Amino acid sequence: AISMGFLLIMILLPLRHWTITDDVLWTEEGHRLSWRMMLRNRRGFTTYYVENKKTGSRKAINYKDYLTTKQSYSVQTKPDFMWQFAQKLKEFHAMEGEDVAVYIDAKVSINGRPLQQFTDKEVDVAAQEWNHWSHHDWILPSSLYENKE
């Protein structure tokens, strides 16, 4: 028999985008494992910056040095991948003895619309927590996107 807990998760997980305060089309939060169809096209241009917390020096990172082609596409447009890559960059630099902040400057287009700023490029994404059930403030609101159509 299926446990009630498992059954509850299987019912609630696909509906979690209704609990998140912004448009799932823009933020992608709650999109995975939901019942939404992928009737949209996302493209983006993203630059990752690593800043040494001690010296304040900042440098752009070429994510293609770390990732496959498919992964490179995902870290340009999908916030959960962006967050995960920021965590990995922090880990890589920690292994070198460096304490870093990771900033993401991402511009995203949905369904061929003009590129719009997707992330708050002043937030250290590596210092943020990921929550599968709520909105993340470093992802800019969809209203900024909708007003510029």
Side-chain angles (χ1 to χ4, degrees), residues 38-105:
M38 294 182 60
L39 299 176
R40 49 100 178 96
N41 179 330
R42 291 176 75 88
R43 68 179 177 86
F45 296 99
T46 303
T47 305
Y48 287 80
Y49 296 95
V50 171
E51 181 177 293
N52 183 310
K53 290 182 179 180
K54 186 175 183 181
T55 66
S57 66
R58 185 183 283 204
K59 63 181 176 180
I61 296 295
N62 184 355
Y63 48 83
K64 293 177 182 178
D65 292 343
Y66 297 86
L67 304 169
T68 66
T69 301
K70 186 175 181 180
Q71 290 169 330
S72 294
Y73 173 76
S74 293
V75 299
Q76 292 182 73
T77 61
K78 298 175 180 165
D80 53 341
F81 282 76
M82 292 176 179
W83 178 83
Q84 288 175 35
F85 185 54
Q87 302 307 308
K88 287 296 177 189
L89 285 173
K90 186 174 181 79
E91 286 177 27
F92 291 147
H93 286 274
M95 289 189 297
E96 302 290 324
E98 190 177 12
D99 186 20
V100 299
V102 180
Y103 300 97
I104 304 172
D105 181 4

Side-chain angles (χ1 to χ4, degrees), residues 81-147:
F81 282 76
M82 292 176 179
W83 178 83
Q84 288 175 35
F85 185 54
Q87 302 307 308
K88 287 296 177 189
L89 285 173
K90 186 174 181 79
E91 286 177 27
F92 291 147
H93 286 274
M95 289 189 297
E96 302 290 324
E98 190 177 12
D99 186 20
V100 299
V102 180
Y103 300 97
I104 304 172
D105 181 4
K107 294 169 181 60
V108 171
S109 166
I110 298 174
N111 295 334
R113 293 181 180 140
L115 289 166
Q116 298 295 323
Q117 190 68 38
F118 182 66
T119 56
D120 182 341
K121 53 190 173 185
E122 301 302 317
V123 173
D124 175 7
V125 177
Q128 306 300 307
E129 294 291 326
W130 187 263
N131 183 329
H132 292 283
W133 298 90
S134 65
H135 176 67
H136 301 88
D137 291 337
W138 56 271
I139 302 170
L140 294 178
S142 61
S143 60
L144 296 177
Y145 179 73
E146 292 165 357
N147 291 337

Side-chain angles (χ1 to χ4, degrees), residues 10-18 24 28-38:
M10 292 297 106
I11 291 171
L12 294 177
L13 188 64
L15 298 174
R16 73 188 181 282
H17 68 275
W18 293 107
V24 68
E28 290 272 315
E29 295 166 312
H31 181 77
R32 272 188 232 309
L33 302 175
S34 72
W35 295 328
R36 300 177 59 84
M37 294 177 65
M38 294 182 60

